Amino acid sequence: MTIASLQALAGSLKDVALSDLASTRAGQQVFDAAGWQFDLSRHFLTPEIDEALFAHAKAAGLQGAIERLFAAEIVNPSEGRPGLHWALRSQSEEQGLAESVRASTNAALVIARRLNNGELKPPNGQAFKSIVHIGIGGSDFGPRLVADAFADHQLKQFDLRFCANLDPLDLQLALAGLDPAQTLVIGISKSFGTEETLFNLSRASDWLAASVGDDWTSHIALVTASSAKAKDWLGGGAGLILDLPESVGGRFSIWSAGSLACMTALQGDVFQDFLHGAAEMDAHVQTAPLESNAAIRLALLDFWNTSFMGFSARAVLAYSRRLRMLPTYLQQLEMESNGKSAGPNGKPLSLMTAPLLWGGEGTIGQHSYHQWLHQGTHVVPTEFILAPGSNESPQGVQALTAHALAQAEVLANGRSLQDIQAEEPELSPSVAAQKVHSGGRPSTFMYTNQLTPHALGALIALYEHRTYLAGVLWGINSFDQWGVERGKTMAARIKPVLAGEVQADDPVTGHLARLITS
Ligand code: F6P
């Protein structure tokens, strides 16, 4: 199926009402995977378009791409690496590189158990009571999401804190009220070269040393792919160094030793169940036929909505308190993976690629940006993820569910002027007109009856595979991130400008630097 024919099919939908499409497809566009249900009926899709997308998926070799990923082939050509995040959670007897990758997670789980049962202590003999996780990007979003999602499963013996920002307040708040003598600082940096993390690690080590002197390195655990740099940083001290494999991308490393803080501070089965859920989703993605393969269907949907329907954003609406940090996590996963305009051959891509991904917690967003979603001039596909965190109050779950279903229905079907005038005849014509909802706003509905660690693992693994496969459709290497390098190097060049040592290259930067430092 050619791009031109897909474009023609998109054009044929111009005057078709989403509500008409959806009503004919109700209940037919549902599939399930690893405990999740998915409903795609409220999208600008028809049986003909589905068939065209399936044909395109075959031509693009999506199933072959899945095989290459799980065969540890090079899927990251610019860095010459495979993508082995799936091996971190693999339950099968992987061989070779995948086996050593899985071993790195197992080693971290052993360390976590020894920290957890008090076996691993600093020289002062006092068990660790506080854990401070220092990292940023993929070395922060994932562990922070898991810790927040399962805060009610945190062991009472540990106070778990996170720090990512250079703003000095972030570390201040992370250390506030903690006893250095009973604190373990876990520094996560795959490159061991990220300024924010090294800066905060250095300040945290000074904080430790002020209390425990030369024993401060015994209060440090470092997780990195650059163990030589970590050893240098410790200066021969006694700190723990755990492996974060080179073949695992930073934004794909939630399954790794990078989550040591969660492995230690959450109840023992939480992280294991999380890994098992991901492994179950991996099995689905590897074996499900194309038409019912959740990762393929969602990747095709992203490809269709962005590159053919012209939607430049997607809103993830997590009707789930445990998933309130998921949109932030997915922003890095999807936008750092596929926010690209050149392919592995360096040539510009012809199609629009990854949309802006944003979102928030439902029903909270209904009191904020849902006005924009319903009556704004921009049409944005939404993704409802209904996953209650507790069944303690059936009424609460029912209300949450009703809101999610209602929002998706109104976004799709709208509310016509005729209906408003019939239902509220007392309204003036101008107010009645302002109450019109145009509808025609597509949505995906995802559901699981409770957001357990297993369900979260399955969901995140699904988004990883969806992101990779959407990248294949767009002709993108989803595993490198050259776009984040320039800003970092420019910051290094602007510091001496702020110190008044050199002139700025850029006149606006120079003006702002003078303004800020005056
Ligand atoms: O944002 C750029 C990036 O390299 C991310 O890909 C990564 O997750 C983050 O910075 C942190 O990198 P590191 O783990 O090497 O400190």
Side-chain angles (χ1 to χ4, degrees):
M1 186 49 66
T2 63
I3 296 300
S5 43
L6 288 171
Q7 284 164 338
L9 284 170
S12 71
L13 290 177
K14 237 198 319 300
D15 303 322
V16 176
L18 177 63
S19 51
D20 294 343
L21 290 174
S23 53
T24 61
R25 295 159 67 85
Q28 297 166 26
Q29 298 304 308
V30 181
F31 47 92
D32 57 69
W36 285 87
Q37 307 273 323
F38 306 89
D39 186 328
L40 305 188
S41 50
R42 286 195 172 116
H43 279 286
F44 288 99
L45 291 168
T46 63
E48 184 187 9
I49 293 171
D50 281 339
E51 287 313 312
L53 288 170
F54 296 155
H56 187 82
K58 289 178 182 127
L62 289 198
Q63 286 162 308
I66 293 169
E67 288 162 14
R68 283 197 302 280
L69 179 78
F70 285 98
E73 291 185 22
I74 303 296
V75 291
N76 175 357
S78 71
E79 295 175 302
R81 293 175 188 159
L84 296 188
H85 41 287
W86 54 269
L88 292 165
R89 67 235 182 182
S90 168
Q91 307 300 311
S92 54
E93 294 312 309
E94 299 297 336
Q95 303 305 317
L97 189 54
E99 186 184 13
S100 67
V101 165
R102 171 68 202 192
S104 67
T105 289
N106 287 342
L109 288 166
V110 168
I111 295 286
R113 211 165 27 253
R114 295 180 62 207
L115 286 166
N116 194 306
N117 64 21
E119 207 185 307
L120 266 183
K121 288 188 185 120
N124 62 24
Q126 300 177 54
F128 289 118
K129 275 175 46 183
S130 315
I131 297 174
V132 179
H133 173 113
I134 297 180
I136 196 166
S139 297
D140 169 70
F141 291 132
R144 206 187 279 254
L145 164 61
V146 173
D148 184 74
F150 302 108
D152 56 337
H153 294 266
Q154 189 172 315
L155 295 166
K156 299 281 176 285
Q157 74 198 73
F158 288 115
D159 183 346
L160 176 56
R161 309 279 182 92
F162 286 85
C163 167
N165 200 324
L166 275 173
D167 182 335
L169 179 63
D170 207 19
L171 185 65
Q172 266 169 249
L173 293 174
L175 300 179
L178 301 186
D179 174 1
Q182 293 188 283
T183 296
L184 174 69
V185 172
I186 303 180
I188 318 286
S189 178
K190 180 178 178 185
S191 62
F192 215 78
T194 301
E195 179 184 10
E196 297 94 327
T197 303
L198 295 179
F199 177 81
N200 282 318
L201 261 178
S202 170
R203 291 186 61 222
S205 58
D206 292 344
W207 174 79
L208 288 168
S211 165
V212 299
D214 292 343
D215 288 341
W216 68 269
T217 58
S218 300
H219 292 253
I220 295 275
L222 301 175
V223 183
T224 181
S226 314
S227 55
K229 289 183 189 174
K231 282 194 186 85
D232 285 350
W233 188 85
L234 285 169
L240 287 168
I241 298 178
L242 292 88
D243 179 39
L244 209 176
E246 274 296 1
S247 55
V248 173
R251 56 189 170 275
F252 295 86
S253 65
I254 191 173
W255 325 96
S256 74
S259 290
L260 177 65
C262 297
M263 294 173 182
T264 305
L266 299 180
Q267 286 154 6
D269 54 350
V270 168
F271 205 82
Q272 288 287 12
D273 290 351
F274 176 62
L275 294 173
H276 293 157
E280 187 177 337
M281 184 59 79
D282 290 340
H284 164 82
V285 172
Q286 283 181 276
T287 58
L290 189 147
E291 296 75 2
S292 56
N293 186 310
I296 291 179
R297 292 297 301 271
L298 292 170
L300 285 171
L301 182 66
D302 293 337
F303 179 63
W304 175 250
N305 274 341
T306 311
S307 307
F308 298 93
M309 293 307 296
F311 297 127
S312 58
R314 185 174 104 238
V316 174
L317 308 178
Y319 277 69
S320 171
R321 163 63 176 73
R322 293 188 192 276
L323 293 179
R324 64 179 178 168
M325 297 187 75
L326 183 69
T328 299
Y329 176 82
L330 295 179
Q331 283 184 324
Q332 188 201 18
L333 176 62
E334 294 199 24
M335 297 170 78
E336 196 169 82
S337 294
N338 293 336
K340 295 164 187 170
S341 49
N345 58 9
K347 291 191 168 45
L349 297 169
S350 56
L351 295 173
M352 297 302 278
T353 58
L356 161 69
L357 188 149
W358 62 281
E361 185 180 358
T363 62
I364 308 230
Q366 293 174 204
H367 304 273
S368 160
Y369 42 77
H370 279 233
Q371 163 62 45
W372 184 91
L373 284 172
H374 284 290
Q375 292 191 321
T377 55
H378 305 271
V379 177
V380 169
T382 51
E383 197 150 281
F384 288 82
I385 307 175
L386 175 63
S390 154
N391 292 322
E392 195 173 274
S393 161
Q395 295 78 3
V397 170
Q398 186 185 69
L400 182 73
T401 303
H403 277 286
L405 291 172
Q407 290 295 314
E409 182 179 320
V410 175
L411 282 168
N413 301 344
R415 189 185 182 205
S416 70
L417 181 60
Q418 290 70 15
D419 289 349
I420 293 164
Q421 287 168 333
E423 292 155 13
E424 302 179 73
E426 74 286 359
L427 292 178
S428 68
S430 63
V431 171
Q434 290 172 69
K435 296 185 83 172
V436 170
H437 289 54
S438 57
R441 284 126 208 259
S443 66
T444 298
F445 206 92
M446 301 180 180
Y447 167 70
T448 193
N449 70 353
Q450 190 159 353
L451 203 278
T452 60
H454 184 281
L456 179 61
L459 185 70
I460 292 180
L462 173 61
Y463 275 102
E464 288 178 340
H465 295 312
R466 165 190 193 166
T467 299
Y468 164 54
L469 294 174
V472 172
L473 291 167
W474 281 317
I476 282 171
N477 171 1
S478 298
F479 295 102
D480 60 14
Q481 54 284 322
W482 303 116
V484 298
E485 300 306 320
R486 183 67 180 157
K488 293 177 184 179
T489 48
M490 285 304 282
R493 289 169 53 177
I494 289 172
K495 272 192 217 164
V497 171
L498 293 172
E501 294 156 4
V502 296
Q503 289 299 313
D505 299 334
D506 176 276
V508 177
T509 302
H511 163 72
L512 288 170
R514 284 188 297 278
L515 191 71
I516 292 163
T517 54
S518 59

